[in-house]
Amino acid sequence: MQDIIVIGSILSALGVIIATAVKVYKFIRKWEKWVEETSEHSLDNYLSIKRLTIMSHEMPLSERIAAGEKYIKYGGNGEVKHKYEELLNHLPKENF
């Protein structure tokens, strides 16, 4: 009788430990997913700000080019990249 109680206690304790471990694992996975999504959204926002800076005619050319360098560095591409390259072509003309 005593052995059955000990075995039952051990199994109950193992059940609680396993259930707690599963909950902790799920929490960590949700946390990692949230961090990844937040990081992705931050990068999207950063690139959007750089994109607006590059395309804004009111901004000084030097700031537009600096924003373009960062935009390209972080994976920006497409029409904005072409605009940045166009701005680079205008830079030497304005320096002389």
Side-chain angles (χ1 to χ4, degrees):
M1 183 72 162
Q2 192 73 356
D3 293 338
I4 293 174
I5 294 174
V6 170
I7 292 172
S9 299
I10 292 172
L11 291 177
S12 295
L14 286 175
V16 170
I17 291 170
I18 291 171
T20 303
V22 168
K23 287 182 181 181
V24 168
Y25 174 77
K26 286 182 179 180
F27 173 77
I28 290 172
R29 292 298 303 151
K30 284 182 183 179
W31 181 263
E32 287 176 343
K33 186 177 179 181
W34 179 82
V35 168
E36 288 172 4
E37 288 176 357
T38 303
S39 178
E40 183 179 320
H41 292 163
S42 293
L43 180 60
D44 288 343
N45 288 337
Y46 182 76
L47 288 175
S48 294
I49 291 169
K50 296 304 172 193
R51 186 171 30 252
L52 289 172
T53 303
I54 295 165
M55 300 305 283
S56 176
H57 297 289
E58 291 81 23
M59 297 295 285
L61 185 59
S62 60
E63 287 187 36
R64 294 172 73 188
I65 289 175
E69 290 171 359
K70 292 177 184 174
Y71 183 80
I72 302 300
K73 178 181 176 183
Y74 287 103
N77 210 347
E79 292 295 320
V80 179
K81 182 178 179 181
H82 294 298
K83 182 65 175 180
Y84 165 69
E85 291 169 352
E86 184 181 303
L87 291 173
L88 286 176
N89 291 333
H90 291 329
L91 181 64
K93 294 175 187 175
E94 289 191 6
N95 284 341
F96 294 115

